[in-house]
Amino acid sequence: MSARQLLAAILLVGGALAVAGPTAAERRGDDERGRMLFTSKECARCHKPRGERALGPPLEELRRRQGMLELAGRLWNHAPAMLGVLEWQKLEWPRINAPEMADLMVYLQADPTRDPAPNLSAGQAILVRKGCLKCHRLRGEGGTLGIELTTYPGGYDSPVAWATGIWNHSPRMARQAAQIGVLYPRFTGEEMTNLFGFLKSVAAPSQ
């Protein structure tokens, strides 16, 4: 096997590992628990079945066949608008833990097998292009407002852990972006998959 072929094989295996599903230690998501969570966290107040009056996109747009990291990107994109509505209604941001996120993802029909293998070089480019390093650091280089991305605790264990972390972080990020005058980054297509894959590939080993 040539050096080029060996490198290609390493990247292929690394990409597959980067989008692996929930770890064995995580509880398997449940559709009914997810439905109940969608109601208890007040999501159903703004996301109703198509045809009913509501502030947010209809439920059918949220509940569709999609990848877990694809859904994580959609949740991230949703934060600024949702934060504005919650502040207007004087409501708190609904925090979600990892078991709850697993249930919610099943209810919203997200499946890790629907996410493609990540493009690690594209993920690295996204990290720069989206302005993540204006606040965060990678191997000590970048901003000082956020954490060092190679040691993000628990964030790269699985798509469920990643989605949980960015959901709970996104309102702070939205406020911070407004304060320092930068655009809140949004993700389309496979961008979130590529970013997650790259960060997982360079992350320090869990202690």
Side-chain angles (χ1 to χ4, degrees):
M1 178 182 290
S2 69
R4 179 175 296 179
Q5 290 172 322
L6 178 60
L7 177 60
I10 291 171
L11 288 175
L12 180 61
V13 172
L17 291 174
V19 293
T23 63
E26 288 181 339
R27 184 186 71 180
R28 182 175 178 83
D30 178 81
D31 181 78
E32 180 59 20
R33 287 196 304 259
R35 184 192 66 77
M36 294 173 64
L37 180 74
F38 194 82
T39 300
S40 67
K41 296 291 183 179
E42 305 288 356
C43 308
R45 291 183 58 175
C46 293
H47 302 289
K48 299 180 182 296
R50 197 180 304 278
E52 296 185 25
R53 294 185 60 184
L55 292 174
L59 178 60
E60 290 81 359
E61 288 187 18
L62 276 62
R63 293 194 74 208
R64 61 176 176 79
R65 292 170 62 87
Q66 58 194 312
M68 281 189 169
L69 290 168
E70 178 188 359
L71 175 57
R74 296 176 68 201
L75 292 175
W76 174 267
N77 293 343
H78 185 50
M82 178 174 164
L83 183 62
V85 170
L86 291 177
E87 290 180 342
W88 172 58
Q89 296 182 335
K90 295 182 172 55
L91 296 173
E92 294 293 323
W93 184 267
R95 294 188 65 82
I96 297 176
N97 61 37
E100 290 173 334
M101 181 61 75
D103 293 336
L104 184 63
M105 285 185 144
V106 169
Y107 176 65
L108 296 180
Q109 300 179 16
D111 184 335
T113 64
R114 296 189 185 118
D115 287 313
N119 181 322
L120 303 186
S121 60
Q124 183 176 14
I126 288 167
L127 183 73
V128 176
R129 192 171 68 248
K130 298 292 184 181
C132 306
L133 297 181
K134 291 180 179 179
C135 292
H136 294 285
R137 298 177 304 286
L138 184 74
R139 295 169 176 158
E141 298 292 331
T144 59
L145 294 174
I147 64 168
E148 163 63 49
L149 292 172
T150 61
T151 56
Y152 180 35
Y156 311 123
D157 288 349
S158 73
V160 170
W162 174 250
T164 303
I166 65 174
W167 171 263
N168 292 327
H169 171 62
S170 56
R172 178 186 175 192
M173 172 63 194
R175 293 188 182 103
Q176 190 72 57
Q179 288 173 5
I180 65 177
V182 301
L183 292 176
Y184 181 86
R186 286 176 168 79
F187 296 84
T188 60
E190 300 172 4
E191 289 181 335
M192 183 61 80
T193 298
N194 293 335
L195 176 64
F196 175 79
F198 170 71
L199 291 176
K200 185 176 179 69
S201 74
V202 299
S206 300
Q207 299 298 320

